[in-house]
Amino acid sequence: MTAIPEGGRGEHRWPAVVALLVALGLYLALPSTFLPAFRYAVVGIGLLLLIPLLVANPVRLHVQTAWTRTLSVSQALLLAAANQVMLVQLLVSLTEPTTGSGSRVLVAAAQVWITNVIAFALLLWELDRGGPVVRRALERGDVPAADIRFAQDEDHDAIAEVAAASSLHAGWRPRFGDYLYTSLSNSMAFSATDAIPLSGRAKALMGLQAFSGFVLLALVIARAVSLFQ
C-alpha cells in the first residue's frame, strides 16, 4: 500500500471523475445503431468500478493499494478499448451514407472524438510515474520512471520567473488537467506537442490516439463534403 504522508495533500479526485462521467454520458448518447447492448454494459461496468474507488478515496487521492490500482487502470483501459470499438462502428457509418442522417453521424463522430480524448487522458494519468498517489506520496528519487516529460520537468534552468514553477524548484507534479491537455493536443496535432512520451507504452498509446484521430478526421471531412454536394 502507498499513502500520502500525514499532513500532505493528495490530488483531487473529482476532475477525473467528472471527465469519466462525461465520457460515459457521451457514450450512452450515441445513436441506437451503435451496438446498444455493448455500450450499456461498458457504462454499467465503468460505474460499478467507480464506486469502490470513491469509497477508498472520496475527495482526494491519499491511498493506493493493489486492488485500487487494478480497478482504476482497468476502468481507464475499458473506456479506451470500448471507444476504439465505437470508432470502428463510426467508420463503417461514415463510409455507408445509407446508415442514417449525415448530420447525426457527424455529431456521433464528435462524441467519439471527445470520449477518445478523455479515455487516453485517464490512461496516461493512471500510468505515468506509478499513478496519481505514487507521484505525490514518494520522494523524487523513489518515483517510478516517467512515461511523459512535461515542460516543467526541464524548466529549472530557465529565467527565474519560469524556473520558479519548475518541478525541481517548486516540487511541481502533474495533475489530471495536464494529462487532459496532453491528450487534447495530441488528438488535434496528431503528434506530441510540449509533453513528450518517453516509455514504449506511452508512445504506443499516444501513437494509437493520434492515428485514430487522424483517420476519424479524414473521414469526417470527406463525409461533410459529401453532404454539401
Side-chain angles (χ1 to χ4, degrees):
M1 183 180 75
T2 304
I4 301 291
E6 186 175 352
R9 286 172 63 85
E11 183 176 347
H12 209 291
R13 150 73 69 187
W14 281 90
V17 172
V18 170
L20 174 67
L21 294 177
V22 168
L24 293 178
L26 290 172
Y27 206 59
L28 276 179
L30 285 168
S32 58
T33 55
F34 281 58
L35 307 175
F38 176 77
R39 288 188 292 116
Y40 297 152
V42 169
V43 171
I45 295 172
L47 292 175
L48 284 175
L49 292 177
L50 181 61
I51 293 172
L53 293 175
L54 286 176
V55 171
N57 293 291
V59 179
R60 290 188 177 273
L61 293 157
H62 284 114
V63 177
Q64 176 180 295
T65 63
W67 69 266
T68 61
R69 176 71 170 162
T70 300
L71 289 184
S72 59
V73 173
S74 298
Q75 185 184 62
L77 281 171
L78 173 69
L79 182 62
N83 204 55
Q84 299 312 300
V85 175
M86 288 301 103
L87 177 61
V88 173
Q89 178 65 44
L90 177 64
L91 297 182
V92 172
S93 299
L94 286 169
T95 54
E96 296 181 359
T98 60
T99 56
S101 166
S103 59
R104 185 66 190 92
V105 173
L106 292 180
V107 171
Q111 292 171 260
V112 171
W113 188 84
I114 294 171
T115 303
N116 216 43
V117 170
I118 294 173
F120 279 93
L122 287 168
L123 259 180
L124 295 174
W125 179 66
E126 290 287 359
L127 294 176
D128 185 33
R129 313 177 199 206
V133 173
V134 170
R135 284 193 296 270
R136 291 178 175 272
L138 301 184
E139 296 295 331
R140 289 283 182 188
D142 299 325
V143 174
D147 292 282
I148 299 175
R149 185 186 71 201
F150 292 93
Q152 289 90 335
D153 294 327
E154 51 189 13
D155 282 345
H156 55 274
D157 57 353
I159 59 174
E161 61 269 27
V162 174
S166 68
S167 300
L168 182 63
H169 296 308
W172 180 89
R173 312 281 175 112
R175 299 172 179 266
F176 176 71
D178 299 294
Y179 297 98
L180 184 61
Y181 171 77
T182 297
S183 180
L184 177 63
S185 59
N186 188 51
S187 292
M188 297 176 69
F190 312 127
S191 65
T193 53
D194 62 333
I196 308 300
L198 301 176
S199 67
R201 64 183 180 183
K203 291 177 182 179
L205 288 173
M206 293 182 71
L208 174 62
Q209 182 186 21
F211 176 75
S212 60
F214 174 77
V215 172
L216 178 58
L217 179 61
L219 287 177
V220 164
I221 291 174
R223 183 60 183 272
V225 169
S226 70
L227 294 177
F228 293 102
Q229 291 180 346

PDB file of all heavy atoms in Angstrom, residues 144-171:
ATOM      1  N   PRO A 144       8.626   5.957  -9.738  1.00  0.00           N
ATOM      2  CA  PRO A 144       8.975   5.175 -10.937  1.00  0.00           C
ATOM      3  C   PRO A 144       9.330   6.073 -12.114  1.00  0.00           C
ATOM      4  O   PRO A 144       8.968   7.253 -12.154  1.00  0.00           O
ATOM      5  CB  PRO A 144       7.697   4.372 -11.210  1.00  0.00           C
ATOM      6  CG  PRO A 144       7.009   4.281  -9.875  1.00  0.00           C
ATOM      7  CD  PRO A 144       7.318   5.576  -9.181  1.00  0.00           C
ATOM      8  N   ALA A 145      10.036   5.496 -13.065  1.00  0.00           N
ATOM      9  CA  ALA A 145      10.461   6.256 -14.245  1.00  0.00           C
ATOM     10  C   ALA A 145       9.266   6.894 -14.942  1.00  0.00           C
ATOM     11  O   ALA A 145       8.191   6.296 -15.044  1.00  0.00           O
ATOM     12  CB  ALA A 145      11.207   5.332 -15.213  1.00  0.00           C
ATOM     13  N   ALA A 146       9.463   8.116 -15.421  1.00  0.00           N
ATOM     14  CA  ALA A 146       8.388   8.870 -16.059  1.00  0.00           C
ATOM     15  C   ALA A 146       8.045   8.287 -17.424  1.00  0.00           C
ATOM     16  O   ALA A 146       8.931   7.865 -18.179  1.00  0.00           O
ATOM     17  CB  ALA A 146       8.786  10.337 -16.208  1.00  0.00           C
ATOM     18  N   ASP A 147       6.749   8.268 -17.733  1.00  0.00           N
ATOM     19  CA  ASP A 147       6.287   7.895 -19.068  1.00  0.00           C
ATOM     20  C   ASP A 147       6.196   9.112 -19.978  1.00  0.00           C
ATOM     21  O   ASP A 147       6.266   8.984 -21.195  1.00  0.00           O
ATOM     22  CB  ASP A 147       4.904   7.241 -18.984  1.00  0.00           C
ATOM     23  CG  ASP A 147       4.958   5.881 -18.306  1.00  0.00           C
ATOM     24  OD1 ASP A 147       5.364   4.919 -18.973  1.00  0.00           O
ATOM     25  OD2 ASP A 147       4.599   5.784 -17.118  1.00  0.00           O
ATOM     26  N   ILE A 148       6.024  10.298 -19.358  1.00  0.00           N
ATOM     27  CA  ILE A 148       5.857  11.534 -20.128  1.00  0.00           C
ATOM     28  C   ILE A 148       6.730  12.617 -19.502  1.00  0.00           C
ATOM     29  O   ILE A 148       6.788  12.754 -18.270  1.00  0.00           O
ATOM     30  CB  ILE A 148       4.387  11.994 -20.134  1.00  0.00           C
ATOM     31  CG1 ILE A 148       3.511  10.925 -20.790  1.00  0.00           C
ATOM     32  CG2 ILE A 148       4.220  13.320 -20.867  1.00  0.00           C
ATOM     33  CD1 ILE A 148       2.043  11.234 -20.731  1.00  0.00           C
ATOM     34  N   ARG A 149       7.390  13.390 -20.339  1.00  0.00           N
ATOM     35  CA  ARG A 149       8.182  14.534 -19.879  1.00  0.00           C
ATOM     36  C   ARG A 149       7.404  15.806 -20.169  1.00  0.00           C
ATOM     37  O   ARG A 149       7.091  16.119 -21.321  1.00  0.00           O
ATOM     38  CB  ARG A 149       9.528  14.576 -20.598  1.00  0.00           C
ATOM     39  CG  ARG A 149      10.455  15.681 -20.090  1.00  0.00           C
ATOM     40  CD  ARG A 149      11.709  15.754 -20.943  1.00  0.00           C
ATOM     41  NE  ARG A 149      11.419  16.296 -22.266  1.00  0.00           N
ATOM     42  CZ  ARG A 149      12.205  16.114 -23.331  1.00  0.00           C
ATOM     43  NH1 ARG A 149      13.292  15.378 -23.240  1.00  0.00           N
ATOM     44  NH2 ARG A 149      11.883  16.644 -24.482  1.00  0.00           N
ATOM     45  N   PHE A 150       7.088  16.537 -19.113  1.00  0.00           N
ATOM     46  CA  PHE A 150       6.374  17.804 -19.239  1.00  0.00           C
ATOM     47  C   PHE A 150       7.371  18.966 -19.280  1.00  0.00           C
ATOM     48  O   PHE A 150       8.520  18.814 -18.878  1.00  0.00           O
ATOM     49  CB  PHE A 150       5.398  17.989 -18.078  1.00  0.00           C
ATOM     50  CG  PHE A 150       4.240  17.040 -18.090  1.00  0.00           C
ATOM     51  CD1 PHE A 150       4.291  15.841 -17.389  1.00  0.00           C
ATOM     52  CD2 PHE A 150       3.095  17.324 -18.819  1.00  0.00           C
ATOM     53  CE1 PHE A 150       3.229  14.955 -17.403  1.00  0.00           C
ATOM     54  CE2 PHE A 150       2.021  16.447 -18.842  1.00  0.00           C
ATOM     55  CZ  PHE A 150       2.088  15.262 -18.133  1.00  0.00           C
ATOM     56  N   ALA A 151       6.892  20.114 -19.743  1.00  0.00           N
ATOM     57  CA  ALA A 151       7.766  21.286 -19.829  1.00  0.00           C
ATOM     58  C   ALA A 151       8.338  21.654 -18.469  1.00  0.00           C
ATOM     59  O   ALA A 151       9.505  22.049 -18.358  1.00  0.00           O
ATOM     60  CB  ALA A 151       6.987  22.456 -20.424  1.00  0.00           C
ATOM     61  N   GLN A 152       7.533  21.521 -17.403  1.00  0.00           N
ATOM     62  CA  GLN A 152       8.002  21.890 -16.063  1.00  0.00           C
ATOM     63  C   GLN A 152       9.154  21.015 -15.586  1.00  0.00           C
ATOM     64  O   GLN A 152       9.899  21.399 -14.687  1.00  0.00           O
ATOM     65  CB  GLN A 152       6.840  21.798 -15.053  1.00  0.00           C
ATOM     66  CG  GLN A 152       5.794  22.878 -15.216  1.00  0.00           C
ATOM     67  CD  GLN A 152       4.689  22.464 -16.170  1.00  0.00           C
ATOM     68  OE1 GLN A 152       4.888  21.617 -17.042  1.00  0.00           O
ATOM     69  NE2 GLN A 152       3.519  23.046 -16.013  1.00  0.00           N
ATOM     70  N   ASP A 153       9.289  19.827 -16.181  1.00  0.00           N
ATOM     71  CA  ASP A 153      10.356  18.921 -15.775  1.00  0.00           C
ATOM     72  C   ASP A 153      11.741  19.379 -16.238  1.00  0.00           C
ATOM     73  O   ASP A 153      12.762  18.847 -15.776  1.00  0.00           O
ATOM     74  CB  ASP A 153      10.089  17.515 -16.328  1.00  0.00           C
ATOM     75  CG  ASP A 153       8.850  16.881 -15.722  1.00  0.00           C
ATOM     76  OD1 ASP A 153       8.579  17.160 -14.543  1.00  0.00           O
ATOM     77  OD2 ASP A 153       8.160  16.128 -16.428  1.00  0.00           O
ATOM     78  N   GLU A 154      11.795  20.337 -17.142  1.00  0.00           N
ATOM     79  CA  GLU A 154      13.089  20.785 -17.653  1.00  0.00           C
ATOM     80  C   GLU A 154      13.228  22.310 -17.664  1.00  0.00           C
ATOM     81  O   GLU A 154      14.096  22.852 -18.330  1.00  0.00           O
ATOM     82  CB  GLU A 154      13.300  20.250 -19.070  1.00  0.00           C
ATOM     83  CG  GLU A 154      12.157  20.519 -20.016  1.00  0.00           C
ATOM     84  CD  GLU A 154      12.323  19.787 -21.343  1.00  0.00           C
ATOM     85  OE1 GLU A 154      13.181  18.894 -21.438  1.00  0.00           O
ATOM     86  OE2 GLU A 154      11.598  20.138 -22.273  1.00  0.00           O
ATOM     87  N   ASP A 155      12.370  22.999 -16.897  1.00  0.00           N
ATOM     88  CA  ASP A 155      12.407  24.464 -16.860  1.00  0.00           C
ATOM     89  C   ASP A 155      13.277  25.021 -15.745  1.00  0.00           C
ATOM     90  O   ASP A 155      13.318  26.239 -15.543  1.00  0.00           O
ATOM     91  CB  ASP A 155      10.980  25.022 -16.682  1.00  0.00           C
ATOM     92  CG  ASP A 155      10.178  24.996 -17.979  1.00  0.00           C
ATOM     93  OD1 ASP A 155      10.796  24.816 -19.043  1.00  0.00           O
ATOM     94  OD2 ASP A 155       8.948  25.152 -17.913  1.00  0.00           O
ATOM     95  N   HIS A 156      13.961  24.155 -15.018  1.00  0.00           N
ATOM     96  CA  HIS A 156      14.699  24.630 -13.841  1.00  0.00           C
ATOM     97  C   HIS A 156      15.880  25.530 -14.178  1.00  0.00           C
ATOM     98  O   HIS A 156      16.354  26.286 -13.332  1.00  0.00           O
ATOM     99  CB  HIS A 156      15.211  23.430 -13.026  1.00  0.00           C
ATOM    100  CG  HIS A 156      16.034  22.476 -13.836  1.00  0.00           C
ATOM    101  ND1 HIS A 156      15.452  21.471 -14.576  1.00  0.00           N
ATOM    102  CD2 HIS A 156      17.373  22.378 -14.036  1.00  0.00           C
ATOM    103  CE1 HIS A 156      16.398  20.791 -15.190  1.00  0.00           C
ATOM    104  NE2 HIS A 156      17.583  21.322 -14.892  1.00  0.00           N
ATOM    105  N   ASP A 157      16.352  25.465 -15.437  1.00  0.00           N
ATOM    106  CA  ASP A 157      17.492  26.310 -15.812  1.00  0.00           C
ATOM    107  C   ASP A 157      17.070  27.480 -16.705  1.00  0.00           C
ATOM    108  O   ASP A 157      17.920  28.112 -17.340  1.00  0.00           O
ATOM    109  CB  ASP A 157      18.562  25.476 -16.518  1.00  0.00           C
ATOM    110  CG  ASP A 157      18.019  24.767 -17.754  1.00  0.00           C
ATOM    111  OD1 ASP A 157      16.798  24.814 -17.990  1.00  0.00           O
ATOM    112  OD2 ASP A 157      18.839  24.167 -18.489  1.00  0.00           O
ATOM    113  N   ALA A 158      15.757  27.774 -16.722  1.00  0.00           N
ATOM    114  CA  ALA A 158      15.258  28.920 -17.488  1.00  0.00           C
ATOM    115  C   ALA A 158      15.392  30.185 -16.644  1.00  0.00           C
ATOM    116  O   ALA A 158      15.959  30.172 -15.541  1.00  0.00           O
ATOM    117  CB  ALA A 158      13.811  28.685 -17.898  1.00  0.00           C
ATOM    118  N   ILE A 159      14.872  31.300 -17.156  1.00  0.00           N
ATOM    119  CA  ILE A 159      14.904  32.542 -16.383  1.00  0.00           C
ATOM    120  C   ILE A 159      14.123  32.363 -15.086  1.00  0.00           C
ATOM    121  O   ILE A 159      13.282  31.459 -14.982  1.00  0.00           O
ATOM    122  CB  ILE A 159      14.345  33.727 -17.208  1.00  0.00           C
ATOM    123  CG1 ILE A 159      12.897  33.444 -17.644  1.00  0.00           C
ATOM    124  CG2 ILE A 159      15.216  34.013 -18.407  1.00  0.00           C
ATOM    125  CD1 ILE A 159      12.244  34.624 -18.340  1.00  0.00           C
ATOM    126  N   ALA A 160      14.385  33.212 -14.115  1.00  0.00           N
ATOM    127  CA  ALA A 160      13.924  32.996 -12.743  1.00  0.00           C
ATOM    128  C   ALA A 160      12.423  32.783 -12.626  1.00  0.00           C
ATOM    129  O   ALA A 160      11.968  31.872 -11.928  1.00  0.00           O
ATOM    130  CB  ALA A 160      14.352  34.176 -11.880  1.00  0.00           C
ATOM    131  N   GLU A 161      11.627  33.626 -13.316  1.00  0.00           N
ATOM    132  CA  GLU A 161      10.174  33.529 -13.151  1.00  0.00           C
ATOM    133  C   GLU A 161       9.599  32.260 -13.775  1.00  0.00           C
ATOM    134  O   GLU A 161       8.515  31.803 -13.395  1.00  0.00           O
ATOM    135  CB  GLU A 161       9.462  34.761 -13.725  1.00  0.00           C
ATOM    136  CG  GLU A 161       9.654  35.003 -15.206  1.00  0.00           C
ATOM    137  CD  GLU A 161      10.839  35.905 -15.498  1.00  0.00           C
ATOM    138  OE1 GLU A 161      11.788  35.928 -14.689  1.00  0.00           O
ATOM    139  OE2 GLU A 161      10.793  36.594 -16.536  1.00  0.00           O
ATOM    140  N   VAL A 162      10.308  31.689 -14.739  1.00  0.00           N
ATOM    141  CA  VAL A 162       9.882  30.415 -15.326  1.00  0.00           C
ATOM    142  C   VAL A 162      10.386  29.255 -14.470  1.00  0.00           C
ATOM    143  O   VAL A 162       9.651  28.321 -14.155  1.00  0.00           O
ATOM    144  CB  VAL A 162      10.382  30.272 -16.779  1.00  0.00           C
ATOM    145  CG1 VAL A 162      10.056  28.883 -17.332  1.00  0.00           C
ATOM    146  CG2 VAL A 162       9.764  31.343 -17.666  1.00  0.00           C
ATOM    147  N   ALA A 163      11.651  29.328 -14.073  1.00  0.00           N
ATOM    148  CA  ALA A 163      12.252  28.268 -13.255  1.00  0.00           C
ATOM    149  C   ALA A 163      11.557  28.125 -11.908  1.00  0.00           C
ATOM    150  O   ALA A 163      11.534  27.029 -11.333  1.00  0.00           O
ATOM    151  CB  ALA A 163      13.733  28.551 -13.048  1.00  0.00           C
ATOM    152  N   ALA A 164      10.957  29.200 -11.410  1.00  0.00           N
ATOM    153  CA  ALA A 164      10.308  29.162 -10.093  1.00  0.00           C
ATOM    154  C   ALA A 164       9.162  28.158 -10.047  1.00  0.00           C
ATOM    155  O   ALA A 164       8.829  27.638  -8.981  1.00  0.00           O
ATOM    156  CB  ALA A 164       9.800  30.557  -9.725  1.00  0.00           C
ATOM    157  N   ALA A 165       8.537  27.880 -11.192  1.00  0.00           N
ATOM    158  CA  ALA A 165       7.403  26.952 -11.233  1.00  0.00           C
ATOM    159  C   ALA A 165       7.798  25.564 -11.720  1.00  0.00           C
ATOM    160  O   ALA A 165       6.928  24.726 -11.959  1.00  0.00           O
ATOM    161  CB  ALA A 165       6.306  27.520 -12.139  1.00  0.00           C
ATOM    162  N   SER A 166       9.069  25.289 -11.840  1.00  0.00           N
ATOM    163  CA  SER A 166       9.529  24.011 -12.380  1.00  0.00           C
ATOM    164  C   SER A 166       9.404  22.887 -11.353  1.00  0.00           C
ATOM    165  O   SER A 166       9.203  23.125 -10.159  1.00  0.00           O
ATOM    166  CB  SER A 166      10.986  24.125 -12.825  1.00  0.00           C
ATOM    167  OG  SER A 166      11.834  24.295 -11.706  1.00  0.00           O
ATOM    168  N   SER A 167       9.553  21.668 -11.831  1.00  0.00           N
ATOM    169  CA  SER A 167       9.487  20.501 -10.949  1.00  0.00           C
ATOM    170  C   SER A 167      10.580  20.550  -9.884  1.00  0.00           C
ATOM    171  O   SER A 167      10.347  20.207  -8.722  1.00  0.00           O
ATOM    172  CB  SER A 167       9.624  19.221 -11.770  1.00  0.00           C
ATOM    173  OG  SER A 167       8.607  19.114 -12.728  1.00  0.00           O
ATOM    174  N   LEU A 168      11.769  20.982 -10.268  1.00  0.00           N
ATOM    175  CA  LEU A 168      12.905  20.974  -9.349  1.00  0.00           C
ATOM    176  C   LEU A 168      12.750  22.004  -8.241  1.00  0.00           C
ATOM    177  O   LEU A 168      12.974  21.714  -7.067  1.00  0.00           O
ATOM    178  CB  LEU A 168      14.206  21.227 -10.124  1.00  0.00           C
ATOM    179  CG  LEU A 168      15.493  21.208  -9.300  1.00  0.00           C
ATOM    180  CD1 LEU A 168      15.702  19.826  -8.684  1.00  0.00           C
ATOM    181  CD2 LEU A 168      16.688  21.602 -10.155  1.00  0.00           C
ATOM    182  N   HIS A 169      12.335  23.213  -8.599  1.00  0.00           N
ATOM    183  CA  HIS A 169      12.297  24.302  -7.612  1.00  0.00           C
ATOM    184  C   HIS A 169      10.969  24.399  -6.864  1.00  0.00           C
ATOM    185  O   HIS A 169      10.958  24.774  -5.685  1.00  0.00           O
ATOM    186  CB  HIS A 169      12.580  25.635  -8.309  1.00  0.00           C
ATOM    187  CG  HIS A 169      13.951  25.727  -8.900  1.00  0.00           C
ATOM    188  ND1 HIS A 169      15.096  25.457  -8.181  1.00  0.00           N
ATOM    189  CD2 HIS A 169      14.374  26.028 -10.155  1.00  0.00           C
ATOM    190  CE1 HIS A 169      16.162  25.603  -8.955  1.00  0.00           C
ATOM    191  NE2 HIS A 169      15.751  25.942 -10.166  1.00  0.00           N
ATOM    192  N   ALA A 170       9.856  24.079  -7.516  1.00  0.00           N
ATOM    193  CA  ALA A 170       8.545  24.234  -6.874  1.00  0.00           C
ATOM    194  C   ALA A 170       7.928  22.899  -6.473  1.00  0.00           C
ATOM    195  O   ALA A 170       6.845  22.873  -5.890  1.00  0.00           O
ATOM    196  CB  ALA A 170       7.590  24.975  -7.809  1.00  0.00           C
ATOM    197  N   GLY A 171       8.604  21.799  -6.785  1.00  0.00           N
ATOM    198  CA  GLY A 171       8.043  20.495  -6.461  1.00  0.00           C
ATOM    199  C   GLY A 171       6.822  20.156  -7.296  1.00  0.00           C
ATOM    200  O   GLY A 171       5.953  19.392  -6.862  1.00  0.00           O
TER     201      GLY A 171
END
